[in-house]
PDB file of all heavy atoms in Angstrom:
ATOM      1  N   ASP A  12       0.855  -1.177  -0.007  1.00  0.00           N
ATOM      2  CA  ASP A  12      -0.006  -0.005   0.011  1.00  0.00           C
ATOM      3  C   ASP A  12       0.891   1.239  -0.013  1.00  0.00           C
ATOM      4  O   ASP A  12       2.069   1.157   0.415  1.00  0.00           O
ATOM      5  CB  ASP A  12      -0.900  -0.003   1.252  1.00  0.00           C
ATOM      6  CG  ASP A  12      -2.221   0.719   1.028  1.00  0.00           C
ATOM      7  OD1 ASP A  12      -2.311   1.577   0.146  1.00  0.00           O
ATOM      8  OD2 ASP A  12      -3.161   0.425   1.776  1.00  0.00           O
ATOM      9  N   ALA A  13       0.360   2.341  -0.477  1.00  0.00           N
ATOM     10  CA  ALA A  13       1.129   3.592  -0.553  1.00  0.00           C
ATOM     11  C   ALA A  13       1.610   3.995   0.848  1.00  0.00           C
ATOM     12  O   ALA A  13       0.851   3.880   1.818  1.00  0.00           O
ATOM     13  CB  ALA A  13       0.268   4.689  -1.170  1.00  0.00           C
ATOM     14  N   THR A  14       2.835   4.470   0.939  1.00  0.00           N
ATOM     15  CA  THR A  14       3.346   5.004   2.172  1.00  0.00           C
ATOM     16  C   THR A  14       2.955   6.475   2.265  1.00  0.00           C
ATOM     17  O   THR A  14       3.266   7.253   1.346  1.00  0.00           O
ATOM     18  CB  THR A  14       4.880   4.889   2.239  1.00  0.00           C
ATOM     19  OG1 THR A  14       5.222   3.503   2.171  1.00  0.00           O
ATOM     20  CG2 THR A  14       5.444   5.484   3.511  1.00  0.00           C
ATOM     21  N   PRO A  15       2.259   6.859   3.325  1.00  0.00           N
ATOM     22  CA  PRO A  15       1.855   8.265   3.447  1.00  0.00           C
ATOM     23  C   PRO A  15       3.092   9.187   3.382  1.00  0.00           C
ATOM     24  O   PRO A  15       4.113   8.927   4.065  1.00  0.00           O
ATOM     25  CB  PRO A  15       1.207   8.358   4.819  1.00  0.00           C
ATOM     26  CG  PRO A  15       0.780   6.954   5.131  1.00  0.00           C
ATOM     27  CD  PRO A  15       1.775   6.073   4.452  1.00  0.00           C
ATOM     28  N   GLY A  16       3.011  10.202   2.518  1.00  0.00           N
ATOM     29  CA  GLY A  16       4.089  11.191   2.441  1.00  0.00           C
ATOM     30  C   GLY A  16       5.309  10.758   1.632  1.00  0.00           C
ATOM     31  O   GLY A  16       6.303  11.445   1.617  1.00  0.00           O
ATOM     32  N   SER A  17       5.243   9.605   0.981  1.00  0.00           N
ATOM     33  CA  SER A  17       6.379   9.135   0.193  1.00  0.00           C
ATOM     34  C   SER A  17       5.925   8.702  -1.188  1.00  0.00           C
ATOM     35  O   SER A  17       5.028   7.872  -1.324  1.00  0.00           O
ATOM     36  CB  SER A  17       7.067   7.931   0.905  1.00  0.00           C
ATOM     37  OG  SER A  17       8.129   7.446   0.076  1.00  0.00           O
ATOM     38  N   ALA A  18       6.546   9.283  -2.195  1.00  0.00           N
ATOM     39  CA  ALA A  18       6.177   8.976  -3.577  1.00  0.00           C
ATOM     40  C   ALA A  18       6.902   7.730  -4.099  1.00  0.00           C
ATOM     41  O   ALA A  18       6.453   7.086  -5.065  1.00  0.00           O
ATOM     42  CB  ALA A  18       6.520  10.175  -4.490  1.00  0.00           C
ATOM     43  N   ASP A  19       8.009   7.328  -3.471  1.00  0.00           N
ATOM     44  CA  ASP A  19       8.798   6.210  -4.014  1.00  0.00           C
ATOM     45  C   ASP A  19       8.881   5.022  -3.094  1.00  0.00           C
ATOM     46  O   ASP A  19       9.685   4.120  -3.327  1.00  0.00           O
ATOM     47  CB  ASP A  19      10.209   6.726  -4.361  1.00  0.00           C
ATOM     48  CG  ASP A  19      11.030   7.120  -3.134  1.00  0.00           C
ATOM     49  OD1 ASP A  19      10.438   7.421  -2.089  1.00  0.00           O
ATOM     50  OD2 ASP A  19      12.251   7.129  -3.244  1.00  0.00           O
ATOM     51  N   GLN A  20       8.063   4.952  -2.053  1.00  0.00           N
ATOM     52  CA  GLN A  20       8.108   3.821  -1.155  1.00  0.00           C
ATOM     53  C   GLN A  20       6.688   3.319  -0.906  1.00  0.00           C
ATOM     54  O   GLN A  20       5.746   4.090  -0.881  1.00  0.00           O
ATOM     55  CB  GLN A  20       8.726   4.223   0.190  1.00  0.00           C
ATOM     56  CG  GLN A  20       8.759   3.060   1.192  1.00  0.00           C
ATOM     57  CD  GLN A  20       9.434   3.443   2.488  1.00  0.00           C
ATOM     58  OE1 GLN A  20      10.324   4.266   2.529  1.00  0.00           O
ATOM     59  NE2 GLN A  20       8.968   2.875   3.567  1.00  0.00           N
ATOM     60  N   ARG A  21       6.555   1.995  -0.761  1.00  0.00           N
ATOM     61  CA  ARG A  21       5.290   1.371  -0.407  1.00  0.00           C
ATOM     62  C   ARG A  21       5.491   0.602   0.862  1.00  0.00           C
ATOM     63  O   ARG A  21       6.589   0.125   1.152  1.00  0.00           O
ATOM     64  CB  ARG A  21       4.803   0.468  -1.540  1.00  0.00           C
ATOM     65  CG  ARG A  21       4.477   1.281  -2.803  1.00  0.00           C
ATOM     66  CD  ARG A  21       3.896   0.456  -3.898  1.00  0.00           C
ATOM     67  NE  ARG A  21       2.607  -0.198  -3.625  1.00  0.00           N
ATOM     68  CZ  ARG A  21       1.418   0.418  -3.649  1.00  0.00           C
ATOM     69  NH1 ARG A  21       1.333   1.725  -3.917  1.00  0.00           N
ATOM     70  NH2 ARG A  21       0.312  -0.237  -3.407  1.00  0.00           N
ATOM     71  N   GLN A  22       4.437   0.432   1.619  1.00  0.00           N
ATOM     72  CA  GLN A  22       4.439  -0.390   2.839  1.00  0.00           C
ATOM     73  C   GLN A  22       3.999  -1.794   2.498  1.00  0.00           C
ATOM     74  O   GLN A  22       3.063  -1.996   1.719  1.00  0.00           O
ATOM     75  CB  GLN A  22       3.465   0.182   3.894  1.00  0.00           C
ATOM     76  CG  GLN A  22       3.907   1.535   4.424  1.00  0.00           C
ATOM     77  CD  GLN A  22       5.113   1.422   5.316  1.00  0.00           C
ATOM     78  OE1 GLN A  22       5.151   0.598   6.245  1.00  0.00           O
ATOM     79  NE2 GLN A  22       6.103   2.206   5.030  1.00  0.00           N
ATOM     80  N   VAL A  23       4.620  -2.783   3.110  1.00  0.00           N
ATOM     81  CA  VAL A  23       4.138  -4.163   3.048  1.00  0.00           C
ATOM     82  C   VAL A  23       3.274  -4.345   4.287  1.00  0.00           C
ATOM     83  O   VAL A  23       3.731  -4.121   5.409  1.00  0.00           O
ATOM     84  CB  VAL A  23       5.288  -5.165   3.018  1.00  0.00           C
ATOM     85  CG1 VAL A  23       4.762  -6.596   2.982  1.00  0.00           C
ATOM     86  CG2 VAL A  23       6.198  -4.898   1.812  1.00  0.00           C
ATOM     87  N   MET A  24       2.021  -4.750   4.069  1.00  0.00           N
ATOM     88  CA  MET A  24       1.045  -4.796   5.136  1.00  0.00           C
ATOM     89  C   MET A  24       0.454  -6.191   5.293  1.00  0.00           C
ATOM     90  O   MET A  24       0.094  -6.843   4.283  1.00  0.00           O
ATOM     91  CB  MET A  24      -0.131  -3.831   4.823  1.00  0.00           C
ATOM     92  CG  MET A  24       0.277  -2.421   4.447  1.00  0.00           C
ATOM     93  SD  MET A  24       1.060  -1.508   5.775  1.00  0.00           S
ATOM     94  CE  MET A  24      -0.345  -1.243   6.876  1.00  0.00           C
ATOM     95  N   ALA A  25       0.357  -6.685   6.541  1.00  0.00           N
ATOM     96  CA  ALA A  25      -0.303  -7.930   6.822  1.00  0.00           C
ATOM     97  C   ALA A  25      -1.761  -7.615   7.124  1.00  0.00           C
ATOM     98  O   ALA A  25      -2.078  -6.779   7.963  1.00  0.00           O
ATOM     99  CB  ALA A  25       0.358  -8.598   8.014  1.00  0.00           C
ATOM    100  N   VAL A  26      -2.661  -8.301   6.419  1.00  0.00           N
ATOM    101  CA  VAL A  26      -4.100  -8.123   6.567  1.00  0.00           C
ATOM    102  C   VAL A  26      -4.609  -9.170   7.563  1.00  0.00           C
ATOM    103  O   VAL A  26      -4.337 -10.351   7.397  1.00  0.00           O
ATOM    104  CB  VAL A  26      -4.847  -8.257   5.218  1.00  0.00           C
ATOM    105  CG1 VAL A  26      -6.331  -8.076   5.383  1.00  0.00           C
ATOM    106  CG2 VAL A  26      -4.255  -7.285   4.192  1.00  0.00           C
ATOM    107  N   PHE A  27      -5.388  -8.707   8.553  1.00  0.00           N
ATOM    108  CA  PHE A  27      -6.028  -9.655   9.470  1.00  0.00           C
ATOM    109  C   PHE A  27      -7.421  -9.128   9.812  1.00  0.00           C
ATOM    110  O   PHE A  27      -7.756  -7.973   9.548  1.00  0.00           O
ATOM    111  CB  PHE A  27      -5.188  -9.804  10.740  1.00  0.00           C
ATOM    112  CG  PHE A  27      -5.029  -8.598  11.598  1.00  0.00           C
ATOM    113  CD1 PHE A  27      -5.858  -8.395  12.705  1.00  0.00           C
ATOM    114  CD2 PHE A  27      -4.098  -7.620  11.305  1.00  0.00           C
ATOM    115  CE1 PHE A  27      -5.748  -7.270  13.504  1.00  0.00           C
ATOM    116  CE2 PHE A  27      -3.964  -6.494  12.095  1.00  0.00           C
ATOM    117  CZ  PHE A  27      -4.790  -6.300  13.207  1.00  0.00           C
ATOM    118  N   GLU A  28      -8.224 -10.017  10.402  1.00  0.00           N
ATOM    119  CA  GLU A  28      -9.577  -9.641  10.809  1.00  0.00           C
ATOM    120  C   GLU A  28      -9.678  -9.692  12.312  1.00  0.00           C
ATOM    121  O   GLU A  28      -9.039 -10.547  12.961  1.00  0.00           O
ATOM    122  CB  GLU A  28     -10.604 -10.555  10.159  1.00  0.00           C
ATOM    123  CG  GLU A  28     -10.704 -10.372   8.674  1.00  0.00           C
ATOM    124  CD  GLU A  28     -11.705 -11.315   7.997  1.00  0.00           C
ATOM    125  OE1 GLU A  28     -12.303 -12.131   8.730  1.00  0.00           O
ATOM    126  OE2 GLU A  28     -11.869 -11.211   6.779  1.00  0.00           O
ATOM    127  N   GLN A  29     -10.507  -8.787  12.835  1.00  0.00           N
ATOM    128  CA  GLN A  29     -10.742  -8.743  14.259  1.00  0.00           C
ATOM    129  C   GLN A  29     -12.165  -8.213  14.448  1.00  0.00           C
ATOM    130  O   GLN A  29     -12.501  -7.180  13.913  1.00  0.00           O
ATOM    131  CB  GLN A  29      -9.725  -7.799  14.911  1.00  0.00           C
ATOM    132  CG  GLN A  29      -9.761  -7.750  16.409  1.00  0.00           C
ATOM    133  CD  GLN A  29      -8.575  -7.005  16.940  1.00  0.00           C
ATOM    134  OE1 GLN A  29      -7.497  -7.564  17.073  1.00  0.00           O
ATOM    135  NE2 GLN A  29      -8.731  -5.731  17.233  1.00  0.00           N
ATOM    136  N   GLU A  30     -12.975  -8.985  15.166  1.00  0.00           N
ATOM    137  CA  GLU A  30     -14.369  -8.602  15.416  1.00  0.00           C
ATOM    138  C   GLU A  30     -15.098  -8.270  14.131  1.00  0.00           C
ATOM    139  O   GLU A  30     -15.847  -7.295  14.066  1.00  0.00           O
ATOM    140  CB  GLU A  30     -14.423  -7.475  16.438  1.00  0.00           C
ATOM    141  CG  GLU A  30     -13.845  -7.858  17.784  1.00  0.00           C
ATOM    142  CD  GLU A  30     -13.824  -6.720  18.775  1.00  0.00           C
ATOM    143  OE1 GLU A  30     -14.239  -5.580  18.444  1.00  0.00           O
ATOM    144  OE2 GLU A  30     -13.317  -6.940  19.899  1.00  0.00           O
ATOM    145  N   GLY A  31     -14.860  -9.049  13.099  1.00  0.00           N
ATOM    146  CA  GLY A  31     -15.573  -8.916  11.821  1.00  0.00           C
ATOM    147  C   GLY A  31     -15.104  -7.780  10.931  1.00  0.00           C
ATOM    148  O   GLY A  31     -15.695  -7.531   9.905  1.00  0.00           O
ATOM    149  N   LYS A  32     -14.017  -7.109  11.309  1.00  0.00           N
ATOM    150  CA  LYS A  32     -13.490  -5.989  10.514  1.00  0.00           C
ATOM    151  C   LYS A  32     -12.092  -6.339  10.030  1.00  0.00           C
ATOM    152  O   LYS A  32     -11.372  -7.069  10.717  1.00  0.00           O
ATOM    153  CB  LYS A  32     -13.489  -4.703  11.316  1.00  0.00           C
ATOM    154  CG  LYS A  32     -14.896  -4.247  11.710  1.00  0.00           C
ATOM    155  CD  LYS A  32     -14.834  -2.966  12.483  1.00  0.00           C
ATOM    156  CE  LYS A  32     -16.228  -2.536  12.919  1.00  0.00           C
ATOM    157  NZ  LYS A  32     -16.204  -1.358  13.765  1.00  0.00           N
ATOM    158  N   SER A  33     -11.689  -5.733   8.941  1.00  0.00           N
ATOM    159  CA  SER A  33     -10.375  -5.962   8.374  1.00  0.00           C
ATOM    160  C   SER A  33      -9.416  -4.839   8.779  1.00  0.00           C
ATOM    161  O   SER A  33      -9.781  -3.672   8.815  1.00  0.00           O
ATOM    162  CB  SER A  33     -10.422  -6.003   6.864  1.00  0.00           C
ATOM    163  OG  SER A  33     -11.133  -7.154   6.420  1.00  0.00           O
ATOM    164  N   TYR A  34      -8.183  -5.257   9.094  1.00  0.00           N
ATOM    165  CA  TYR A  34      -7.142  -4.316   9.527  1.00  0.00           C
ATOM    166  C   TYR A  34      -5.824  -4.717   8.863  1.00  0.00           C
ATOM    167  O   TYR A  34      -5.671  -5.824   8.403  1.00  0.00           O
ATOM    168  CB  TYR A  34      -6.953  -4.340  11.057  1.00  0.00           C
ATOM    169  CG  TYR A  34      -8.178  -3.943  11.788  1.00  0.00           C
ATOM    170  CD1 TYR A  34      -9.052  -4.907  12.296  1.00  0.00           C
ATOM    171  CD2 TYR A  34      -8.526  -2.621  11.981  1.00  0.00           C
ATOM    172  CE1 TYR A  34     -10.199  -4.550  13.002  1.00  0.00           C
ATOM    173  CE2 TYR A  34      -9.655  -2.224  12.675  1.00  0.00           C
ATOM    174  CZ  TYR A  34     -10.493  -3.200  13.167  1.00  0.00           C
ATOM    175  OH  TYR A  34     -11.628  -2.851  13.849  1.00  0.00           O
ATOM    176  N   THR A  35      -4.883  -3.763   8.861  1.00  0.00           N
ATOM    177  CA  THR A  35      -3.528  -4.074   8.388  1.00  0.00           C
ATOM    178  C   THR A  35      -2.539  -3.542   9.425  1.00  0.00           C
ATOM    179  O   THR A  35      -2.789  -2.584  10.161  1.00  0.00           O
ATOM    180  CB  THR A  35      -3.192  -3.404   7.031  1.00  0.00           C
ATOM    181  OG1 THR A  35      -3.391  -2.017   7.123  1.00  0.00           O
ATOM    182  CG2 THR A  35      -4.041  -3.992   5.924  1.00  0.00           C
ATOM    183  N   VAL A  36      -1.378  -4.231   9.457  1.00  0.00           N
ATOM    184  CA  VAL A  36      -0.261  -3.787  10.263  1.00  0.00           C
ATOM    185  C   VAL A  36       0.981  -3.837   9.356  1.00  0.00           C
ATOM    186  O   VAL A  36       1.162  -4.781   8.607  1.00  0.00           O
ATOM    187  CB  VAL A  36      -0.094  -4.653  11.526  1.00  0.00           C
ATOM    188  CG1 VAL A  36       0.187  -6.125  11.190  1.00  0.00           C
ATOM    189  CG2 VAL A  36       0.971  -4.119  12.459  1.00  0.00           C
ATOM    190  N   PRO A  37       1.825  -2.794   9.426  1.00  0.00           N
ATOM    191  CA  PRO A  37       3.034  -2.783   8.585  1.00  0.00           C
ATOM    192  C   PRO A  37       4.010  -3.894   8.983  1.00  0.00           C
ATOM    193  O   PRO A  37       4.285  -4.036  10.183  1.00  0.00           O
ATOM    194  CB  PRO A  37       3.646  -1.397   8.801  1.00  0.00           C
ATOM    195  CG  PRO A  37       2.607  -0.585   9.444  1.00  0.00           C
ATOM    196  CD  PRO A  37       1.682  -1.535  10.150  1.00  0.00           C
ATOM    197  N   ILE A  38       4.507  -4.632   7.986  1.00  0.00           N
ATOM    198  CA  ILE A  38       5.508  -5.656   8.273  1.00  0.00           C
ATOM    199  C   ILE A  38       6.748  -5.518   7.379  1.00  0.00           C
ATOM    200  O   ILE A  38       7.602  -6.385   7.368  1.00  0.00           O
ATOM    201  CB  ILE A  38       4.922  -7.096   8.144  1.00  0.00           C
ATOM    202  CG1 ILE A  38       4.427  -7.355   6.719  1.00  0.00           C
ATOM    203  CG2 ILE A  38       3.830  -7.310   9.202  1.00  0.00           C
ATOM    204  CD1 ILE A  38       4.168  -8.803   6.419  1.00  0.00           C
ATOM    205  N   GLY A  39       6.798  -4.422   6.637  1.00  0.00           N
ATOM    206  CA  GLY A  39       7.943  -4.237   5.751  1.00  0.00           C
ATOM    207  C   GLY A  39       7.747  -3.049   4.826  1.00  0.00           C
ATOM    208  O   GLY A  39       6.756  -2.304   4.948  1.00  0.00           O
ATOM    209  N   SER A  40       8.682  -2.902   3.901  1.00  0.00           N
ATOM    210  CA  SER A  40       8.593  -1.815   2.934  1.00  0.00           C
ATOM    211  C   SER A  40       9.129  -2.278   1.580  1.00  0.00           C
ATOM    212  O   SER A  40       9.841  -3.283   1.515  1.00  0.00           O
ATOM    213  CB  SER A  40       9.366  -0.582   3.420  1.00  0.00           C
ATOM    214  OG  SER A  40      10.728  -0.904   3.581  1.00  0.00           O
ATOM    215  N   LEU A  41       8.757  -1.531   0.563  1.00  0.00           N
ATOM    216  CA  LEU A  41       9.220  -1.786  -0.806  1.00  0.00           C
ATOM    217  C   LEU A  41       9.697  -0.437  -1.362  1.00  0.00           C
ATOM    218  O   LEU A  41       8.925   0.524  -1.376  1.00  0.00           O
ATOM    219  CB  LEU A  41       8.069  -2.334  -1.663  1.00  0.00           C
ATOM    220  CG  LEU A  41       8.293  -2.385  -3.173  1.00  0.00           C
ATOM    221  CD1 LEU A  41       9.446  -3.314  -3.532  1.00  0.00           C
ATOM    222  CD2 LEU A  41       7.010  -2.829  -3.865  1.00  0.00           C
ATOM    223  N   GLN A  42      10.958  -0.384  -1.760  1.00  0.00           N
ATOM    224  CA  GLN A  42      11.496   0.828  -2.337  1.00  0.00           C
ATOM    225  C   GLN A  42      12.514   0.453  -3.407  1.00  0.00           C
ATOM    226  O   GLN A  42      13.403  -0.370  -3.168  1.00  0.00           O
ATOM    227  CB  GLN A  42      12.157   1.694  -1.261  1.00  0.00           C
ATOM    228  CG  GLN A  42      12.567   3.057  -1.748  1.00  0.00           C
ATOM    229  CD  GLN A  42      12.938   4.010  -0.601  1.00  0.00           C
ATOM    230  OE1 GLN A  42      13.239   3.553   0.506  1.00  0.00           O
ATOM    231  NE2 GLN A  42      12.878   5.274  -0.859  1.00  0.00           N
ATOM    232  N   GLY A  43      12.375   1.046  -4.562  1.00  0.00           N
ATOM    233  CA  GLY A  43      13.276   0.781  -5.654  1.00  0.00           C
ATOM    234  C   GLY A  43      13.355  -0.682  -6.038  1.00  0.00           C
ATOM    235  O   GLY A  43      14.380  -1.193  -6.431  1.00  0.00           O
TER     236      GLY A  43
END
């Protein structure tokens, strides 16, 4: 997903569910 405030970096996010809703937590980055 896009990294807030950065045009050349993306966040690697783990998607999980909790109480019927979806959430993400950052687990890495992608750049260049």
Side-chain angles (χ1 to χ4, degrees):
D12 208 338
T14 299
S17 177
D19 66 339
Q20 180 178 325
R21 295 184 63 79
Q22 293 289 309
V23 178
M24 309 294 289
V26 179
F27 65 97
E28 292 179 358
Q29 185 170 278
E30 298 175 1
K32 296 180 182 175
S33 294
Y34 299 97
T35 57
V36 62
I38 61 165
S40 61
L41 168 62
Q42 188 167 21

